Amino acid sequence: SDVASGCFGIGSKSPLAYGSQTYNVSAVKDGVKTVVAVGRNESSSAVGEIFTSNTTEPNGVTISVPVNNRMDHHSFEEAAETFQFYADAKVLVNGKAKPERPEGFVSLSARFEVAPRVEYGRTARDVVVMGNVHYRLDSNVVERFTRQNWYVIIYVDMGEVRPSPTREDLIYTEATKETIERYREEFIRRFADHAQQDISTSSTRNMAVKKRQKYLGICGDLADKEFTYKGDIIPD
């Protein structure tokens, strides 16, 4: 279904790819707790032992995966923080909610955010977020939205792009590329409007010129846009 971010059927089984000897999937439903201890048999096939009991715990699902070592623990933590940063959901990492957007972040709409690369070095590429999962865009396939020191976060509707089963990348079908190009054109319009509004609030003409240069430094596609200050076009 295009209205859910699942559909591949491998979510709760993915710890087997990590190499955990065993891990637990625990589900509580209306007073009954079911725990599945997942592991591998001697032929490396996945197996599960099921245990049930009565409980007063609230309904919900918990997947507990043992981490092999301290380095892996850090990698898990970093990945969780990255997911938390892009997710439009209540995600706690080590009991903490995601921090406020840092200085320099520009929120254009519910669709677009512009971020300085220095603030979040986890990515040097534009990002599409669908169903709380982020996908880094391949600049060898689709044109960048911004210059190298910035990146754009685009929030798309379910089903608008096609992810790979690994949830690491997109499959660049014609429909996916057309969607990204459509959003790129919309982004340029919205970012140009944002830049013009900011330029118009300048207290001096010199400040207006500097702001124009700043926005051109973020998005080269604004070079052919005419920006004005108090009715006059700002020249190159």
Side-chain angles (χ1 to χ4, degrees), residues 48-67:
E49 292 189 46
I50 301 175
F51 308 90
T52 60
S53 61
N54 295 325
T55 183
T56 58
E57 296 177 38
N59 290 348
V61 176
T62 301
I63 301 175
S64 304
V65 182
V67 180

Side-chain angles (χ1 to χ4, degrees), residues 204-224:
T204 66
R205 186 174 300 275
N206 186 46
M207 182 182 294
V209 171
K210 288 182 178 180
K211 284 184 178 180
R212 175 184 179 275
Q213 291 304 112
K214 179 188 77 171
Y215 286 110
L216 290 183
I218 297 174
C219 180
D221 287 302
L222 300 186
D224 60 350

Side-chain angles (χ1 to χ4, degrees), residues 9-20 23 25 38 40 46 63 65 76 165-168:
I10 59 176
S12 64
K13 297 87 172 175
S14 56
L16 291 172
Y18 167 61
S20 299
Y23 67 96
V25 180
V38 184
R40 293 185 183 276
I63 301 175
V65 182
F76 270 82
T166 63
R167 296 291 184 194
E168 298 291 334

Side-chain angles (χ1 to χ4, degrees), residues 10-209:
I10 59 176
S12 64
K13 297 87 172 175
S14 56
L16 291 172
Y18 167 61
S20 299
Q21 294 299 313
T22 59
Y23 67 96
N24 292 334
V25 180
S26 173
V28 176
K29 178 66 174 178
D30 299 336
V32 177
K33 183 174 185 178
T34 303
V35 178
V36 183
V38 184
R40 293 185 183 276
N41 59 20
E42 292 180 356
S43 62
S44 293
S45 299
V47 294
E49 292 189 46
I50 301 175
F51 308 90
T52 60
S53 61
N54 295 325
T55 183
T56 58
E57 296 177 38
N59 290 348
V61 176
T62 301
I63 301 175
S64 304
V65 182
V67 180
N68 292 335
N69 54 58
R70 184 173 296 179
M71 290 297 294
D72 284 359
H73 189 281
H74 175 74
S75 297
F76 270 82
E77 192 173 60
E78 189 176 65
E81 288 174 347
T82 302
F83 177 86
Q84 177 194 54
F85 178 74
Y86 294 112
D88 182 24
K90 183 179 180 181
V91 180
L92 304 180
V93 179
N94 293 331
K96 298 179 181 179
K98 63 182 176 183
E100 295 295 322
R101 293 297 197 245
E103 184 179 353
F105 230 85
V106 179
S107 180
L108 298 179
S109 66
R111 291 285 189 196
F112 302 104
E113 292 178 325
V114 185
R117 179 180 170 187
V118 293
E119 295 291 350
Y120 278 86
R122 302 185 184 97
T123 178
R125 294 184 283 174
D126 297 320
V127 170
V128 164
V129 179
M130 184 176 72
N132 288 319
V133 182
H134 72 283
Y135 304 94
R136 296 175 175 88
L137 294 183
D138 186 347
S139 59
N140 294 317
V141 181
V142 295
E143 188 177 350
R144 282 188 58 90
F145 284 57
T146 56
R147 297 188 187 276
Q148 292 295 326
N149 289 331
W150 295 80
Y151 69 98
V152 174
I153 305 169
I154 312 110
Y155 296 88
V156 306
D157 295 330
M158 292 302 306
E160 286 198 289
V161 295
R162 184 178 177 186
S164 67
T166 63
R167 296 291 184 194
E168 298 291 334
D169 298 289
L170 295 179
I171 298 175
Y172 290 93
T173 62
E174 288 303 315
T176 293
K177 289 190 286 187
E178 288 173 4
T179 296
I180 294 170
E181 180 59 26
R182 172 166 52 84
Y183 277 117
R184 200 180 77 84
E185 293 174 357
E186 181 183 347
F187 164 75
I188 293 171
R189 291 195 301 270
R190 287 184 177 274
F191 197 47
D193 290 342
H194 172 83
Q196 180 60 71
Q197 291 175 9
D198 190 26
I199 289 169
S200 298
T201 63
S202 303
S203 57
T204 66
R205 186 174 300 275
N206 186 46
M207 182 182 294
V209 171

Side-chain angles (χ1 to χ4, degrees), residues 217-235:
I218 297 174
C219 180
D221 287 302
L222 300 186
D224 60 350
K225 305 290 183 181
E226 289 188 344
F227 294 100
T228 61
Y229 178 68
K230 295 187 175 180
D232 295 331
I233 295 175
I234 302 173

